[in-house]
């Protein structure tokens, strides 16, 4: 399988075509997420938000119950389950697109999968020793994201000689772990982990050199939405003002071979990615008479 073209990303009982860029809408059921914390904790607003994202063109909805911003405090498994599992069940009964669960904990993943989740988005790439077996036994999709350390410690670990090469190498090791556990290759997407144990400059370099990750032969997901490096580039603007900057990062990511984009603001990303994808499909060889 290649990172582009008409291959599909296989989830539980569905396959998302990679022929068109995929937009993953973010639904944070957390009180402390950096850009939308606390707004979608109760069922009504969360469901309304998910429905809106689907109407705006989201291909899947990613539900998270733990903030992973640098230095965020850890929640208990029970609290995370409480935030995520009923919401996954509600979404599965109410919306037409697949649902992923953004968790580092195998127990949360297991219960979310039992509630119907289609994929696990693991920002720690199988750090929980039970995670690979849970994913393998449920036959669902998996995102392996690169990070070093934990959200509490990661920013002190942003030391690389060759950031793209080292991220690809470290993710390859986790990919091997997933395959050894019996998770099928076409269920696995890879993510460089923008903002996780990376400086602002390293984030830019990773987006510019995504082709290094694409070469591993799996769909590549980019999660740049509203992150601090965008704010820094744009004069320190607040997180909820960073959607246009996010779109810029997504479009370049697409040009470098990424196919899945995790965003807060779905409509803008959907439009920009569809237009950019159409342009990128024009063979450069056509040329223009001058
Ligand atoms: N980023 C965040 C959370 N989950 N998952 C993947 N695969 N890739 C990412 O880049 C990624 C992710 C952090 O962003 P957000 O969910 O908006 O904030 P918070 O962690 O504060 O809830």
């Amino acid at each position: 399988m290649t990172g582009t073209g008409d291959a599909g990303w296989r989830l539980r009982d569905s396959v998302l075509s990679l022929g068109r860029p995929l937009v993953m809408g973010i639904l944070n059921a957390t009180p402390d997420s950096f850009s939308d914390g606390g707004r979608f904790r109760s069922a009504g607003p969360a469901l309304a938000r998910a429905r809106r994202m689907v109407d705006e063109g989201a291909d899947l909805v990613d539900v998270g119950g733990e903030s992973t911003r640098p230095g965020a405090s850890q929640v208990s498994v029970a609290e995370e389950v409480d935030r995520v599992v009923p919401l996954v069940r509600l979404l599965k009964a109410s919306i037409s697109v697949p649902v992923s669960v953004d968790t580092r904990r195998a127990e949360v993943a297991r219960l979310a999968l039992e509630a119907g989740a289609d994929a696990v988005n693991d920002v720690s790439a199988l750090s929980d020793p039970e995670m690979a077996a849970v994913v393998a036994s449920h036959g669902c999709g998996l995102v392996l994201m690169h990070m070093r350390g934990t959200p509490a410690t990661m920013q002190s670990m942003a030391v690389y000689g060759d950031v793209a090469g080292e991220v690809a190498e470290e993710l390859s090791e986790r990919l091997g772990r997933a395959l050894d556990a019996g998770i099928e290759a076409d269920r696995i997407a890879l993510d460089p982990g923008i903002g996780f144990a990376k400086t602002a400059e390293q984030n830019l370099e990773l987006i510019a050199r995504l082709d290094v990750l694409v070469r591993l032969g799996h769909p590549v997901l980019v999660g740049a939405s509203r992150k601090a490096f965008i704010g820094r580039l744009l004069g320190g603007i607040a997180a909820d003002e960073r959607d246009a900057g996010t779109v810029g990062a997504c479009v370049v990511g697409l040009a470098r071979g990424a196919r899945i984009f995790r965003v807060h603001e779905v409509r803008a990303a959907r439009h920009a990615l569809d237009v950019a994808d159409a342009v990128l499909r024009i063979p450069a060889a056509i040329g223009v008479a001058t």
Side-chain angles (χ1 to χ4, degrees):
M1 184 172 64
T2 62
T4 56
D6 292 329
W9 180 27
R10 194 144 69 98
L11 307 183
R12 206 132 169 214
D13 352 274
S14 55
V15 181
L16 288 175
S17 168
L18 295 161
R20 181 190 189 200
L22 294 176
V23 176
M24 173 191 261
I26 301 172
L27 192 58
N28 279 324
T30 50
D32 54 352
S33 287
F34 74 92
S35 73
D36 55 6
R39 283 167 51 207
F40 307 115
R41 282 202 75 188
S42 57
L47 180 56
R49 172 77 177 163
R51 285 200 162 120
R52 200 181 116 193
M53 291 196 292
V54 174
D55 287 347
E56 291 180 349
D59 298 290
L60 72 165
V61 170
D62 188 45
V63 177
E66 180 203 30
S67 177
T68 47
R69 74 190 151 78
S73 59
Q74 236 190 316
V75 294
S76 68
V77 171
E79 173 71 23
E80 196 184 337
V81 165
D82 207 43
R83 291 176 183 180
V84 156
V85 173
L87 188 51
V88 168
R89 192 172 292 114
L90 176 68
L91 293 179
K92 286 303 293 178
S94 318
I95 63 171
S96 54
V97 303
V99 174
S100 57
V101 59
D102 183 347
T103 187
R104 299 184 280 154
R105 277 120 160 212
E107 182 62 5
V108 178
R110 187 178 67 75
L111 293 170
L113 289 164
E114 281 170 13
D118 299 278
V120 174
N121 172 21
D122 183 359
V123 301
S124 75
L126 308 179
S127 291
D128 183 327
E130 308 299 324
M131 185 65 100
V134 167
V135 171
S137 68
H138 284 84
C140 61
L142 174 66
V143 179
L144 292 175
M145 195 200 80
H146 179 270
M147 156 161 77
R148 285 177 176 174
T150 66
T153 62
M154 62 189 180
Q155 285 316 104
S156 64
M157 303 172 97
V159 182
Y160 304 84
D162 161 19
V163 68
E166 286 169 54
V167 164
E169 193 179 307
E170 290 168 29
L171 267 182
S172 292
E173 188 270 323
R174 301 305 173 102
L175 180 59
R177 228 189 260 188
L179 296 170
D180 288 349
I183 301 169
E184 290 124 315
D186 59 355
R187 295 191 191 276
I188 305 172
L190 302 177
D191 180 339
I194 301 298
F196 288 82
K198 320 283 175 347
T199 63
E201 293 68 30
Q202 288 161 353
N203 290 324
L204 297 177
E205 186 173 340
L206 273 172
I207 296 170
R209 299 194 52 219
L210 275 179
D211 54 300
V212 177
L213 210 52
V214 171
R215 262 184 250 130
L216 296 179
H218 290 260
V220 169
L221 185 156
V222 170
S225 191
R226 298 184 179 174
K227 286 188 176 166
F229 77 100
I230 296 174
R232 193 167 309 178
L233 277 172
L234 301 177
I237 57 173
D240 62 1
E241 294 178 71
R242 297 176 193 158
D243 291 321
T246 298
V247 163
C250 289
V251 166
V252 178
L254 181 78
R256 293 288 191 266
R259 296 306 285 175
I260 313 168
F261 301 87
R262 183 180 181 276
V263 296
H264 297 87
E265 180 54 43
V266 168
R267 185 188 297 274
R270 172 85 278 157
H271 287 178
L273 287 164
D274 285 352
V275 172
D277 194 50
V279 173
L280 291 166
R281 282 173 186 282
I282 303 294
I286 288 176
V288 178
T290 52

